[in-house]
């Protein structure tokens, strides 16, 4: 990976032409040559004139149609068919120009009226496309190996039980935005479905190739392109991992707050709108993305905006793509905000007799407005799994536990710890201990990061599976839903733990089951989701909808909301990106 240093930056004009000069990294790129600036202005005037001319042509055609209609009123009957034919022909021409369309004018697209895309995954079509892909990315960057196809269609921690047929025809590994565009043009022309893949850590079946086609693996696009240290932003490609990014940023005293599971990469983090343990203080992925470069289904390359921290220019396209889970376009570049690395961090661990007491403590702390960096909850089952897995160097009390992270000045951290300790005691805490130094703090916090892996370590054989899922509710209902969900898991006879970023009402259930117990686990998860929605919460706080929770969207946001999403995603040019009606 190249160092975070000065690199060339190209100023893009409205016609996507690169002006060949810029100043040093970290400062805005300006064309230094007078002729180049005049060229930019000329192109701007040209695009404005073209738009005005198009509008004049359309107005003239409308006037022609209206005049023909007026004349037809006094036209002999034998001439009427000819006038009508002329009007129909003009209307058809205008529809092809985009002025008059024969498609539905409704603002939403109900599933019953949506026309599903017609994919072509016939062997002959795919084999012909293989030759096209080879010309774009090179034969060495295409894989049809069975093991590779299987690895790119599911994982042992995914909650979606992939079928043997849920595999792509080939794995394509482009190296640039232009190569992604070329691949998508081929797929659009040949009607081949596409699934995107970056880190492969998604939990709800996001990269299962349910329609076959191809998988675009972004592993070659793993570069940190440019750090604008003075502007506190960084430009990265989609296969950059958040952990790798933070290792590089730390050398400059900076960090990128969103921290989902280990191995997650920026492309998938954008797709799911992820968050992580830092979300309580720093917000979620949508709060840290300034701009995206996206390749649309037909190969069109779109940049959602430039690098300012705020903009009132047009629609917020950036946030439209965040959380779209690959249904709208493929992210090939992202401009991310970064922030100074906290210099003083303390970690505290607090135990309780019951999960409700622990959840009530969170409610009290949030209500008091204490500016904590993170609050995590782990129930007694989770603490027992961590002990048995031996992933940390200490043994923990196997009771409901809260992990607090504090950051700020030494004085403010001391004050905040004192406030939280008092609130915890008032809600029934039994112990409250602190890390004495950074190493011990990392050790304490590592217990939270070991949650999924420690439960997976309890699997007895290959027939055991893990189902990890999440919901989020208003903070006032947190204690209710955690207690009810924990009781439901206990009653089911399955082993399941509760963990979560509870500062913002988000928690996870990690359930272990075997093949015969799938329906029991399925019932637990669906009751948990139903419970959250009835409490005015959401089916997913950060994992994404994927294939498992899509049927809950109408219950959460209403049919009209889902129909609007479908209207946005379901059109002829997006047929290869598996929109909402066909996923």
């Amino acid at each position: 990976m190249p160092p975070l240093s000065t690199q060339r930056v190209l100023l893009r004009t409205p016609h996507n032409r690169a002006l060949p000069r810029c100043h040093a990294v970290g400062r805005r790129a300006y064309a230094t040559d007078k002729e180049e600036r005049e060229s930019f202005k000329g192109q701007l005037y040209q695009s404005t004139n073209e738009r005005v001319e198009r509008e004049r042509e359309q107005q003239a055609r409308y006037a022609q149609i209206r005049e023909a209609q007026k004349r037809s009123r006094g036209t002999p009957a034998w001439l009427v068919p000819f006038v009508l034919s002329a009007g129909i022909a003009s209307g058809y021409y205008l529809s092809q120009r985009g002025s008059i369309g024969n498609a539905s004018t409704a603002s939403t697209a109900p599933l019953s009226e949506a026309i599903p895309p017609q994919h072509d995954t016939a062997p002959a079509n795919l084999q012909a496309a293989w030759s096209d892909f080879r010309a774009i990315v090179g034969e060495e960057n295409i894989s049809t190996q069975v093991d590779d196809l299987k690895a790119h269609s599911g994982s042992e921690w995914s909650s979606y039980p992939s079928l043997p047929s849920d595999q792509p025809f080939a794995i394509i590994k482009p190296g640039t935005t232009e190569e992604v565009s070329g691949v998508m043009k081929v797929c659009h022309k040949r009607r081949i479905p596409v699934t995107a893949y970056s880190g492969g850590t998604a939990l709800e079946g996001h990269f299962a190739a349910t329609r076959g086609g191809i998988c675009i693996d972004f592993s070659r696009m793993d570069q940190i392109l440019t750090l604008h240290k003075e502007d506190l932003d960084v430009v990265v490609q989609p296969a950059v991992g958040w952990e790798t990014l933070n290792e590089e940023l730390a050398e400059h005293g900076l960090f990128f707050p969103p921290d989902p599971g280990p191995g997650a990469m920026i492309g998938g983090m954008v797709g799911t709108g992820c968050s992580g343990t830092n979300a309580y203080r720093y917000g979620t992925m949508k709060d840290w993305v300034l701009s995206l470069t996206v390749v649309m289904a037909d190969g069109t390359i779109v940049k959602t905006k430039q690098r300012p921290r705020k903009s009132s220019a047009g629609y917020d396209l950036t946030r439209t793509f965040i959380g779209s889970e690959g249904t709208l376009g493929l992210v090939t570049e992202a401009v991310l905000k970064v922030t100074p690395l906290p210099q003083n961090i303390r970690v505290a661990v607090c135990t309780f007799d019951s999960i409700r007491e622990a959840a009530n403590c969170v409610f009290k702390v949030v209500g008091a407005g204490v500016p904590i960096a993170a609050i995590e909850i782990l129930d007694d089952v989770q603490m027992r799994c961590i002990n048995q897995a031996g992933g940390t160097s200490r043994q923990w009390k196997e009771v409901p536990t809260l992990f607090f992270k504090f950051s700020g000045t030494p004085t403010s951290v001391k004050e905040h710890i004192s406030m939280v300790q008092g609130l915890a005691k008032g809600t029934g805490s039994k112990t409250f201990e602190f890390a004495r130094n950074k190493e011990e703090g990392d050790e304490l916090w590592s217990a939270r990061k070991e949650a999924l892996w420690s439960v997976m370590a309890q699997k007895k054989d290959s027939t055991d599976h893990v189902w990890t899922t999440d919901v989020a509710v208003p903070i006032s209902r947190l204690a209710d839903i955690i207690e009810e969900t924990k009781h439901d898991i206990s009653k089911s006879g399955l082993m399941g733990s509760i963990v979560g970023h509870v500062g913002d009402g988000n928690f996870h259930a990690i359930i272990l089951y075997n093949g015969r117990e799938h329906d029991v686990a399925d019932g637990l998860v669906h009751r948990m989701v139903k419970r959250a929605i009835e409490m005015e919460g959401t089916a997913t706080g950060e994992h994404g909808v994927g294939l498992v929770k899509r049927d809950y969207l109408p219950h959460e946001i209403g049919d009209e909301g889902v129909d609007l999403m479908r209207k946005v995603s379901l059109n002829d040019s997006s047929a290869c990106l598996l929109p909402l009606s066909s996923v």
Side-chain angles (χ1 to χ4, degrees):
M1 182 176 293
L4 296 173
S5 58
T6 58
Q7 300 183 25
R8 288 181 62 81
V9 179
L10 299 180
L11 177 63
R12 297 288 177 180
T13 72
H15 295 276
N16 208 31
R17 297 174 183 170
L19 301 184
R21 175 52 240 131
C22 64
H23 294 300
V25 170
R27 300 178 185 178
R28 183 177 177 184
Y30 289 97
T32 55
D33 185 89
K34 180 179 179 182
E35 182 178 346
E36 290 172 352
R37 291 197 298 271
E38 291 175 349
S39 175
F40 179 86
K41 184 184 296 184
Q43 291 177 46
L44 183 62
Y45 287 155
Q46 180 183 350
S47 65
T48 303
N49 288 335
E50 289 175 352
R51 176 175 57 80
V52 171
E53 285 300 318
R54 285 196 302 270
E55 291 175 353
R56 287 175 177 171
E57 290 175 5
Q58 291 168 1
Q59 290 172 357
R61 291 190 186 96
Y62 277 127
Q64 186 179 10
I65 292 173
R66 286 196 297 269
E67 186 62 30
Q69 290 173 340
K70 289 179 181 178
R71 289 197 302 269
S72 69
R73 296 190 184 102
T75 300
W78 62 272
L79 275 179
V80 170
F82 295 95
V83 175
L84 289 176
S85 298
I88 292 171
S90 299
Y92 174 78
Y93 178 78
L94 285 172
S95 72
Q96 298 303 302
R97 298 281 296 180
S99 299
I100 297 177
N102 54 9
S104 170
T105 58
S107 297
T108 59
L111 181 59
S112 59
E113 298 178 12
I115 302 174
Q118 300 301 310
H119 299 134
D120 185 355
T121 56
N125 188 46
L126 295 174
Q127 290 292 344
W130 189 91
S131 298
D132 297 331
F133 299 143
R134 179 179 60 184
I136 297 169
V137 303
E139 187 172 349
E140 68 278 11
N141 295 311
I142 304 175
S143 174
T144 55
Q145 296 295 318
V146 174
D147 290 345
D148 207 10
L149 299 179
K150 183 177 179 180
H152 283 74
S153 58
S155 65
E156 61 178 319
W157 54 80
S158 175
S159 56
Y160 173 74
S162 298
L163 301 174
S165 60
D166 293 342
Q167 291 188 10
F169 156 75
I171 312 298
I172 314 296
K173 298 181 179 180
T176 65
T177 296
E178 289 69 27
E179 287 185 0
V180 176
S181 175
V183 170
M184 292 306 298
K185 286 177 181 177
V186 172
C187 293
H188 181 254
K189 177 182 178 181
R190 295 184 175 275
R191 313 299 292 177
I192 298 173
V194 176
T195 306
Y197 183 99
S198 55
T201 62
L203 299 167
E204 302 285 357
H206 297 82
F207 54 91
T210 58
R211 296 296 183 270
I214 69 162
C215 171
I216 294 185
D217 181 332
F218 287 97
S219 57
R220 292 177 60 214
M221 300 178 66
D222 62 351
Q223 300 297 301
I224 300 174
L225 299 177
T226 316
L227 171 65
H228 304 101
K229 187 173 180 179
E230 296 85 354
D231 296 327
L232 294 178
D233 69 60
V234 64
V235 185
V236 302
Q237 290 182 311
V240 171
W242 67 271
E243 296 156 301
T244 301
L245 177 59
N246 275 325
E247 288 174 4
E248 296 286 341
L249 291 174
E251 298 180 6
H252 301 266
L254 302 171
F255 93 115
F256 175 66
D259 61 334
M265 297 178 181
I266 298 301
M269 293 166 67
V270 171
T272 58
C274 77
S275 55
T277 61
N278 291 322
Y280 175 60
R281 177 166 183 174
Y282 292 100
T284 65
M285 192 69 182
K286 69 179 186 300
D287 301 304
W288 292 89
V289 181
L290 289 173
S291 174
L292 296 170
T293 299
V294 182
V295 176
M296 306 300 288
D298 64 353
T300 301
I301 300 172
V302 174
K303 185 169 183 179
T304 58
K305 72 170 190 175
Q306 300 200 84
R307 293 194 299 112
R309 289 300 177 104
K310 60 188 296 188
S311 171
S312 294
Y315 296 169
D316 191 345
L317 294 178
T318 304
R319 288 201 174 191
T320 299
F321 285 103
I322 297 173
S324 63
E325 301 185 23
T327 61
L328 298 181
L330 304 180
V331 174
T332 61
E333 196 172 291
V335 182
L336 309 174
K337 291 193 291 185
V338 297
T339 193
L341 190 66
Q343 297 303 305
N344 186 49
I345 297 176
R346 293 288 303 277
V347 173
V349 179
C350 180
T351 62
F352 297 83
D353 284 338
S354 73
I355 197 75
R356 175 170 280 277
E357 288 178 339
N360 278 334
C361 178
V362 174
F363 178 67
K364 294 289 186 182
V365 170
V366 172
V370 184
I372 298 172
I375 313 175
E376 297 291 308
I377 194 169
L378 290 80
D379 72 351
D380 55 320
V381 176
Q382 185 62 66
M383 300 308 294
R384 182 168 66 252
C385 289
I386 291 171
N387 282 339
Q388 293 175 355
T392 60
S393 62
R394 61 170 287 177
Q395 286 293 110
W396 302 86
K397 292 181 182 298
E398 296 177 0
V399 294
T401 304
L402 291 180
F403 288 75
F404 295 96
K405 185 184 290 185
F406 303 88
S407 64
T409 65
T411 301
S412 67
V413 167
K414 184 177 180 181
E415 179 185 359
H416 298 155
I417 288 175
S418 177
M419 294 173 65
V420 171
Q421 190 171 14
L423 291 168
K425 185 176 181 180
T427 53
S429 68
K430 299 304 178 184
T431 63
F432 199 101
E433 60 179 302
F434 308 96
R436 291 168 294 184
N437 50 48
K438 183 181 184 302
E439 290 70 26
E440 193 169 292
D442 291 342
E443 171 72 8
L444 292 174
W445 204 254
S446 70
R448 170 61 184 93
K449 288 298 184 182
E450 291 291 326
L452 173 59
W453 316 115
S454 65
V455 174
M456 290 180 65
Q458 306 299 312
K459 292 167 63 175
K460 296 180 177 62
D461 53 50
S462 59
T463 64
D464 282 349
H465 307 279
V466 65
W467 191 321
T468 176
T469 190
D470 82 314
V471 296
V473 295
I475 193 69
S476 63
R477 301 304 307 271
L478 180 66
D480 295 331
I481 191 169
I482 287 182
E483 185 176 57
E484 290 176 26
T485 301
K486 185 168 176 59
H487 176 71
D488 200 12
I489 294 173
S490 177
K491 189 172 63 174
S492 73
L494 300 181
M495 193 195 83
S497 67
I498 298 289
V499 299
H501 322 307
V502 286
D504 49 14
N506 181 207
F507 79 95
H508 310 250
I510 307 175
I511 303 166
L512 199 64
Y513 67 98
N514 60 39
R516 299 184 306 276
E517 298 166 330
H518 177 271
D519 290 346
V520 179
D522 184 76
L524 278 175
V525 171
H526 286 285
R527 286 193 297 275
M528 172 179 163
V529 173
K530 182 174 181 289
R531 202 175 290 127
I533 293 174
E534 288 174 347
M535 293 182 181
E536 299 183 272
T538 177
T540 173
E542 61 181 16
H543 289 183
V545 173
L547 292 170
V548 179
K549 296 181 177 178
R550 56 184 176 170
D551 292 337
Y552 281 98
L553 274 178
H555 299 281
E556 181 174 332
I557 65 174
D559 289 330
E560 294 78 11
V562 175
D563 293 347
L564 178 56
M565 291 184 190
R566 187 177 295 106
K567 184 75 170 183
V568 171
S569 70
L570 186 58
N571 57 70
D572 186 63
S573 67
S574 68
C576 59
L577 280 176
L578 301 182
L580 291 175
S581 67
S582 65
V583 171

